[in-house]
Amino acid sequence: QSVLTQPPSVSAAPGQKVTISCSGSSSNIGNNYVSWYQHLPGTAPQLLIYDNDKRPSGIPDRFSGSKSGTSATLDITGLQTGDEADYYCESWDGSLSAVLFGGGTKLTVL
Amino acid sequence: EVQLLESGGGLVQPGGSLRLSCAASGFSFSNNAMSWVRQAPGKGLEWVSGFSGGGNTYYADSVKGRFSISRDTSKNTLYVQMNSLRVEDTALYYCAKRKCSGGNCRGFDYWGQGTLVTVSS
């Protein structure tokens, strides 16, 4: 069971918006930055969001991140079938001195 | 262009050892934070071990005392020595580069394709 908690799955129709949550504690999300990754089967994970809400170059603005307290959120708007993937949040935990990943959320675009 | 190429995976018996390598290119390896991240079959991503930008090493509790991370800056190569391997260490092991700016490193911006480790009798 992951220290960072994500819903196992979310789904929405093409063109719609979906929100993926990531819940942690003061030792991780509450006092450290959050990153988000997209992981398609058979490929390397891709960084979507870093520093809570920043996008690396090349990531479309359909992907956005935010953080409040000990929780973070990834929003994906204008859903496309190509967005079907597993999504992970990640943060440093100062108490564990370790990087933590959430358990992952499988996005299905209906 | 940043490239990370893992090697060294394979089949090993429980209790055995294996050393994975990650050859890096396209960035300043010696100044950058790096990590190993794994994904067991049907499971999510799990951080295993890493170097900070300042050269400190960190380990997940699940591998502490059994795995040892190291690097050779003359070869731009990251290693992880895995001893006392268990069935539950079976996974695809990725090498990942931390996104660093001004001494702060957050997020993994480049990943290798992974090398498969299977621990089985």
Side-chain angles (χ1 to χ4, degrees), chain B residues 21-43:
Chain B
S21 302
C22 171
S25 61
F27 65 100
S28 179
F29 177 79
S30 59
N31 297 326
N32 216 95
M34 301 286 296
S35 278
W36 289 97
V37 178
R38 68 185 180 184
Q39 184 176 34
K43 303 293 186 180

Side-chain angles (χ1 to χ4, degrees), chain A residues 33 43 107:
Chain A
Y33 289 94
T43 69
L107 168 63

Side-chain angles (χ1 to χ4, degrees), chain B residues 61-81:
Chain B
D61 285 346
S62 58
V63 306
K64 205 169 289 184
R66 300 187 299 122
F67 288 16
S68 178
I69 193 171
S70 63
R71 62 187 180 183
D72 185 335
T73 55
S74 69
K75 296 181 179 179
N76 284 357
T77 302
L78 181 73
Y79 303 98
V80 62
Q81 176 68 42

Side-chain angles (χ1 to χ4, degrees), chain A residues 33-54:
Chain A
Y33 289 94
V34 177
S35 299
W36 289 90
Y37 303 85
Q38 178 190 65
H39 193 196
L40 295 158
T43 69
Q46 181 179 29
L47 179 65
L48 291 177
I49 299 289
Y50 68 99
D51 286 3
N52 304 329
D53 57 10
K54 295 181 175 59

Side-chain angles (χ1 to χ4, degrees), chain A residues 1-67:
Chain A
Q1 190 168 351
S2 303
V3 176
L4 301 184
T5 302
Q6 298 180 232
S9 63
V10 295
S11 61
Q16 297 300 303
K17 171 186 173 180
V18 71
T19 295
I20 299 174
S21 62
C22 177
S23 177
S25 68
S26 60
S27 63
N28 41 70
I29 292 176
N31 284 285
N32 292 284
Y33 289 94
V34 177
S35 299
W36 289 90
Y37 303 85
Q38 178 190 65
H39 193 196
L40 295 158
T43 69
Q46 181 179 29
L47 179 65
L48 291 177
I49 299 289
Y50 68 99
D51 286 3
N52 304 329
D53 57 10
K54 295 181 175 59
R55 283 187 307 275
S57 61
I59 300 300
D61 59 6
R62 300 188 299 108
F63 296 91
S64 63
S66 63
K67 189 184 95 167

